[in-house]
Amino acid sequence: VNPKTLGSKRIAETLPELRSIKLILAYDGTAYVGWQRQRSGPSLQAALERSLARITGEKTHAVASGRTDAGVHALGQVVSFHTQSRLSPEIFQKALNSDLPRDMAVVSAEEAPPGFHAIRHAVRKRYRYVIHDGSNPDVFGRNYAWHYRSRLNAELMHQAARGWLGTHDFRSFESHWPQRRTSVRTIFDVSAVRRPPPDEDRIDFEVQADGFLYNMVRTMVGTLVEVGRGYRPVEWPAEVVAAQLRKAAGMKAPAHGLFLVNVDYE
Amino acid sequence: VNPKTLGSKRIAETLPELRSIKLILAYDGTAYVGWQRQRSGPSLQAALERSLARITGEKTHAVASGRTDAGVHALGQVVSFHTQSRLSPEIFQKALNSDLPRDMAVVSAEEAPPGFHAIRHAVRKRYRYVIHDGSNPDVFGRNYAWHYRSRLNAELMHQAARGWLGTHDFRSFESHWPQRRTSVRTIFDVSAVRRPPPDEDRIDFEVQADGFLYNMVRTMVGTLVEVGRGYRPVEWPAEVVAAQLRKAAGMKAPAHGLFLVNVDYE
């Protein structure tokens, strides 16, 4: 049986001895082409599946809550896979943390609930985007924050972002690929906060929603900095939503400031 | 004139139009063979001198307060160089921060006092060594802390380290190369402190002295963890000093947890 040729539900039906394990994964996306296996370079999915194959002897298909792009990081990506192995989740975690590349780590592992699907059953995701607006480059944070070379007004950015709360059609923030059935999403929480000293050169933008369109967070950040820099009024980001037009929004902020923080399930 | 063939003092005497600039430099040492130019790979010194050559058009020799080894980082390395350029220190800083590799940055730049020598006039240096003793690997800090996989008692390590305060012969902590005239050093300040949440999986060991022997800080850390782990009593690190024998001390901790924090001058 090749699990890649079967949907996970069908596997669970036809091979009742298969267990499903749920992992919470942290990774530094700098060296990868993104989550998904690609021909153009190393992917996080391929690295995880290689480790799982070494540990279980099985060819395993790992499903993540969603793709992350090249250079995007995760603090709490959720991944599930099926296995016939009898190893406990704790042993999976230890074995993976010994075998995975040093830029990937398993934060926790558990038996997944029956029928669990990391994409379909996700109800909320939270992303963080880190902006570094100090004048000197930060050599240790260079791959983990966007270095914006002018000081930004975080309070105005926060005020502007709060206008996005609730349910709206966010197509103004969607890159054209891939097309989704609907571009209506609900934002449960959103904030932009400057960190206290000694980290006062950093602004954390966080947004939690029932789902995100392609490049939505990065385009939101590129829009908010226009306000933070004083180029646009605080009402403008809400007007961008209303325009329902990609070219109404700001630039797409670079990938390396973006972190998938966590994913909630029913 | 090739500045590399002349001592800096002689240059200042023979070419009075030469200015001396003092830089404070931060760098991520991960990708380098160390500060000093070597044939075996890229050095921080060569990278800085290349940028200075592009900015000034001169062949420049950069002198640091001391070498750092491969993988060792700096928050405040002090570097000086001579130049005929009329650029202000502020412009040097901006030009270097635009031109240097992204793992190096100039924190500040100023006109050096007359006759300033970054090695000879240093009176105190402070190093920090970061230990990460959480059970999961830290993917974002993997190059900036030693991952010690068992929990350590930071209070005992601190108590033990305080026994090193003052003037002692520290040859027990010196690797055999290079030999120094004397291995007596004075420690002005030393501490081991677990960070507050959410960073409670990190211990900062800091030590300030009038100078350091080769691998002294890393061997001190390798000695302290024996106490933190409960393998040795809290009095043992002071006994290691008294033994005046390298093999009396613990292992040498890995390079990537070590940071040169700052250097004081008269």
Side-chain angles (χ1 to χ4, degrees), chain A residues 138-158:
Chain A
D138 173 5
V139 295
F140 303 105
R142 68 192 187 280
N143 295 324
Y144 314 124
W146 177 25
H147 189 198
Y148 193 90
R149 279 158 202 275
S150 306
R151 204 63 170 180
L152 296 166
N153 185 322
E155 289 75 19
L156 289 180
M157 290 166 67
H158 179 76

Side-chain angles (χ1 to χ4, degrees), chain A residues 28 93 102 107 136 140 142, chain B residues 28 93 102 107 136 142:
Chain A
D28 175 348
Q93 179 172 1
R102 290 179 63 234
V107 177
N136 292 325
F140 303 105
R142 68 192 187 280
Chain B
D28 174 349
Q93 180 173 0
R102 291 179 63 234
V107 177
N136 292 324
R142 69 192 187 279

Side-chain angles (χ1 to χ4, degrees), chain A residues 26-28 73-75 93 97-98 102-108 136-140 142-144 149 256 259, chain B residues 26-28 73-75 93 97 102-108 136-140 142-144 149 256 259:
Chain A
Y27 49 80
D28 175 348
H73 316 293
L75 300 168
Q93 179 172 1
N97 280 338
S98 297
R102 290 179 63 234
D103 47 12
M104 300 175 71
V106 177
V107 177
S108 73
N136 292 325
D138 173 5
V139 295
F140 303 105
R142 68 192 187 280
N143 295 324
Y144 314 124
R149 279 158 202 275
H256 65 274
F259 295 75
Chain B
Y27 49 79
D28 174 349
H73 316 292
L75 300 167
Q93 180 173 0
N97 281 338
R102 291 179 63 234
D103 47 12
M104 300 177 69
V106 177
V107 177
S108 73
N136 292 324
D138 173 7
V139 296
F140 303 105
R142 69 192 187 279
N143 295 324
Y144 313 124
R149 279 158 203 274
H256 65 273
F259 294 77

Side-chain angles (χ1 to χ4, degrees), chain B residues 10-181:
Chain B
R10 175 115 180 269
I11 292 178
E13 282 163 6
T14 54
L15 296 169
E17 77 274 26
L18 273 183
R19 298 153 69 212
S20 174
I21 305 282
K22 175 185 171 188
L23 304 176
I24 297 185
L25 209 64
Y27 49 79
D28 174 349
T30 307
Y32 297 91
V33 296
W35 167 259
Q36 196 170 40
R37 196 182 270 283
Q38 284 179 47
R39 292 196 180 180
S40 55
S43 69
L44 293 146
Q45 182 186 18
L48 177 62
E49 291 175 353
R50 256 196 314 276
S51 275
L52 286 170
R54 278 190 291 261
I55 291 163
T56 63
E58 300 165 344
K59 191 167 175 187
T60 308
H61 180 57
V63 177
S65 73
R67 304 171 187 182
T68 52
D69 282 335
V72 174
H73 316 292
L75 300 167
Q77 171 70 285
V78 175
V79 176
S80 65
F81 63 93
H82 289 96
T83 180
Q84 292 185 285
S85 151
R86 296 288 96 197
L87 297 174
S88 71
E90 294 69 32
I91 296 296
F92 261 114
Q93 180 173 0
K94 285 195 178 161
L96 283 167
N97 281 338
S98 297
D99 190 82
L100 283 169
R102 291 179 63 234
D103 47 12
M104 300 177 69
V106 177
V107 177
S108 73
E110 58 180 48
E111 214 74 47
F116 177 78
H117 193 282
I119 301 174
R120 263 174 270 158
H121 301 151
V123 293
R124 272 184 305 275
K125 283 186 193 177
R126 177 178 286 271
Y127 279 95
R128 181 181 303 153
Y129 194 98
V130 185
I131 301 171
H132 169 233
D133 64 347
S135 53
N136 292 324
D138 173 7
V139 296
F140 303 105
R142 69 192 187 279
N143 295 324
Y144 313 124
W146 177 26
H147 188 199
Y148 192 89
R149 279 158 203 274
S150 307
R151 204 64 170 180
L152 295 165
N153 185 322
E155 290 74 20
L156 288 180
M157 291 167 66
H158 179 75
Q159 228 181 296
R162 299 298 285 181
W164 291 332
L165 274 173
T167 304
H168 307 281
D169 187 326
F170 285 101
R171 68 179 62 188
S172 295
F173 299 97
E174 180 176 28
S175 294
H176 289 303
W177 178 90
Q179 300 291 345
R180 311 263 182 172
R181 276 191 323 262

